[in-house]
Amino acid sequence: MSKYYLNYLDELESEAIYILREVWAQFQNPVILFSGGKDSILVTHLAKKAFYPSKIPFPLLHVDTGHNFPETIQFRDDLIKELGVQLIVGSVQESIDTGRVAEEKGKNATRNALQITTLLDAIENNKIDCAIGGGRRDEEKARAKERFFSHRDDFGQWDPKNQRPELWNLLNGKHFEGEHFRAFPISNWTEMDVWNYIKREDIKIPSLYLAHQREVVWRNDSWIPVSEFLKLEENEKIETKKIRFRTLGDITITGGIESEANTLEKIVAEVAAMKQTERGNRSDDKRSETAMEDRKRQGYF
Amino acid sequence: MEIDKNQLLRFTTAGSVDDGKSTLIGRLLYDSKAIFEDQLEAIENTSRKKGHEGVDLALFTDGLRDEREQGITIDVAYRYFTTPKRKFIIADTPGHIQYTRNMVTGASTANAALILIDARHGVIEQTKRHAFIASLLQIPHIIVCINKMDLVDYSEEVYENIINQFEEFSSKLYVKDIQFLPISALDGDNVVNRSTNMDWYKGAPLLYTLETMHISSDINKIDARFPVQTVLRPQREGFIDYRGYAGRVASGIFRPGDEVVILPSGFTSTIKSIDTMDGSLEEVFAPMSVTITLKDDIDISRGDMIVKENNQPKPLQEFDAMLCWFNNSPARPRAKYTIVHTSNEQKAMIKEVVYKIDINTYAREEQDKELKMNDIARISIRTTRPLMVDEYRDNRLTGSFVLIDDATHETVAAGMIV
Ligand SMILES: Nc1nc2c(ncn2[C@@H]2O[C@H](COP(=O)(O)OP(=O)(O)O)[C@@H](O)[C@H]2O)c(=O)[nH]1
Ligand SMILES: [Mg+2]
């Protein structure tokens, strides 16, 4: 075989770098949406590569639900220091305190939907014209239709039926004042690709992704971590399990799985044998079959 | 690990409604174990609600709410699966004539196209259209899947007849490689596993064909083209005078020491280094994203192209192209659009619609000159400044462009330079 071809991870990397550079060239004020999860860590790593030897030329934006894993915040602050870039925090707690949103009530209350308002406010207040996200098309069926450059109207809304076509590698980021874009450089990566690449590049990730002992409660078919925000229901009991997380989000709804995988090698092997999607452990997606599409239309990540 | 040698293959699916595209993709994913239990469960639930017996694998690709309600595919949906040999990206596109533009989009980056034909109906108007689009977009490999063989008693004669029908018109098209396959997407015959119902078919099943298809030779290694995306000037310690040109190799091969020309200025220089965060490279080719530094200080910016002295694209301000119109509002005669070609952007005017093509019959239409949504036409275009172009046939990236309407910012057309 010819030596002039890339393996698939190199091709995905090259595509992501291309998209990140297009964002920089086409927008005035882009940011990386940083959640502390592996996908946004990956995007940040790719941005480092895209602009080397320059620093990443734009800030990171963290939409903070207030329901964090302490490890996530520590990780975020260390990374910011290492990169020497600016951090912008949009606080859901502040949105609640200022009456922009009301906290959900009831057993399955989450701050997930509230993040939309906080995010859109942060975008507007900071005059952000492109928010780069770690969304992947394999995560969820509504995400499967996302463009690399995805238009949002001046209400921050997505119109999946009226998207701009993307041909070859030509990306159209033109927009009117008040509108913005979401850019998804790792659209074409699967969970497996992400882990294989993290392992190959030896990218630092929060310890939460590796198996560790933790106090948890069995709820909605997964292990929800005990935290100051968790209200125990009747019949629920706290147990200590060896678990790890496949995604990281709001600590009140991010379920872990029982696992012995405490190295990247073991995680890759475990993910390869997985029978459930990673979002299968997130109760926010279980609400209805089109839960993600409905949230995305309104401006969700 | 072995997997590190694996290539990426992008393919698109075409076929008219109900030919079984979604079922075929669902089958590929299902049999290659790319469907997770919770996804399968969700599909089973929906299938039951709709009164289907068994699982309707098509539901797996029909993502958006409206589509599930109407039971059709209206946009491009991307799906992924990996086998021990390759990673695959599928662009599942709808087949109706009103979605020609979606097919064109899916085809623009594809290494291969699967064209589905319902064995009971044989070649129909839509088949011709799909083959036309595949050849127009220069997809190097076409696999014609003759589906629903279970409904024609797995008949070899039916299969052979359809091949003959197909070859009758495909001889008029320019396609590098066409293969035929008899399958049943519903039952999985010849999809991942060889069919036991069609002993007369001696070829490989679809997945094996996709896994072993030769795609490295499809890359243009001759014409070195490097469109500059952005200039990197770190101005920090260790890199005070660093000036790097960041971009993605569109075609050809670049090495340090190469004599290069910068277009459109025409200045010449020598490549000093080709950098990445992981170190400098001795040789780069498409589609690598790298940063090039030059021995001389030249004023270079986004939209410029680095090429080799002895092999240059043509600087053209007026050229012909095959254009597919994407927008609801028709093209306005002699109106100005923004043309995006590689990383370069200019204003452009469609000077003339030379002819439209009836993509079902391949007939040229020279009277009706109005470009409406989904129309494909040969046009003459004029730009405010020269673009550095190649013919699309030689170079998919430097031979293609899109038009943007300045009033709406929408991408209204895609063009292939002839
Ligand atoms: N008997 C039979 N039916 C099939 C086969 N493939 C697809 N179908 C059925 O044809 C119908 C349309 O399939 P679908 O995949 O939605 O077609 P699409 O519109 O091309 O995506 C569905 O009812 C499928 O179950 C096949 O190989 N044999
Ligand atoms: Mg379909």
Side-chain angles (χ1 to χ4, degrees), chain B residues 120-282:
Chain B
R120 294 170 303 176
H121 307 143
V123 167
I124 55 173
E125 213 174 60
Q126 313 220 14
T127 314
K128 291 188 176 177
R129 182 163 78 235
H130 300 144
F132 178 79
I133 291 171
S135 89
L136 181 72
L137 274 290
Q138 292 282 294
I139 301 179
H141 308 273
I142 293 183
I143 304 177
V144 182
C145 296
I146 294 150
N147 188 31
K148 308 198 185 182
M149 288 301 292
D150 55 303
L151 299 180
V152 295
D153 293 327
Y154 307 103
S155 155
E156 181 174 10
E157 199 190 329
V158 170
Y159 172 73
E160 291 294 340
N161 274 338
I162 294 175
I163 293 182
N164 289 336
Q165 288 169 14
F166 193 95
E167 285 180 335
E168 240 169 68
F169 71 86
S170 68
S171 57
K172 290 180 209 141
L173 302 172
Y174 178 80
V175 184
K176 255 173 68 178
D177 168 33
I178 302 187
Q179 302 180 54
F180 298 89
L181 258 163
I183 66 168
S184 167
L186 194 63
D187 303 330
D189 291 64
N190 285 337
V191 179
V192 172
N193 302 310
R194 177 178 290 281
S195 170
T196 49
N197 294 311
M198 292 176 271
D199 290 337
W200 48 264
Y201 173 72
K202 302 293 179 227
L206 176 62
L207 184 63
Y208 181 85
T209 309
L210 290 169
E211 283 180 329
T212 52
M213 178 177 280
H214 219 10
I215 51 171
S216 354
S217 53
D218 300 333
I219 294 174
N220 178 334
K221 299 180 213 57
I222 314 282
D223 310 309
R225 306 280 185 267
F226 187 83
V228 174
Q229 276 185 282
T230 183
V231 182
L232 297 178
R233 305 214 54 192
Q235 293 175 317
R236 66 179 170 98
E237 224 184 284
F239 299 96
I240 296 295
D241 294 323
Y242 189 93
R243 184 191 260 275
Y245 306 104
R248 199 175 187 195
V249 181
S251 57
I253 295 166
F254 289 92
R255 299 182 185 89
D258 281 349
E259 302 287 330
V260 291
V261 183
I262 317 307
L263 299 175
S265 70
F267 287 123
T268 57
S269 186
T270 308
I271 295 182
K272 183 159 97 191
S273 66
I274 304 176
D275 301 336
T276 71
M277 196 174 85
D278 303 306
S280 297
L281 302 172
E282 286 311 308

Side-chain angles (χ1 to χ4, degrees), chain A residues 14 188 193 275 277 294, chain B residues 37-38 65 67 80 87 287:
Chain A
S14 166
N188 281 329
D193 300 333
K275 293 207 160 58
T277 60
D294 296 340
Chain B
E37 277 176 2
D38 51 327
R65 196 217 312 256
E67 287 168 43
Y80 305 86
K87 174 185 167 89

Side-chain angles (χ1 to χ4, degrees), chain A residues 18-60:
Chain A
Y18 173 81
I19 291 161
L20 285 158
R21 288 168 169 175
E22 279 304 294
V23 170
W24 177 235
Q26 293 195 34
F27 294 92
Q28 301 296 318
N29 197 16
V31 295
I32 294 178
L33 288 173
F34 188 81
S35 69
K38 65 176 190 314
D39 297 326
S40 61
I41 292 170
L42 170 60
V43 169
T44 308
H45 178 82
L46 291 163
K48 243 163 81 176
K49 287 202 170 192
F51 300 103
Y52 176 88
S54 297
K55 287 196 303 197
I56 297 176
F58 34 75
L60 269 49

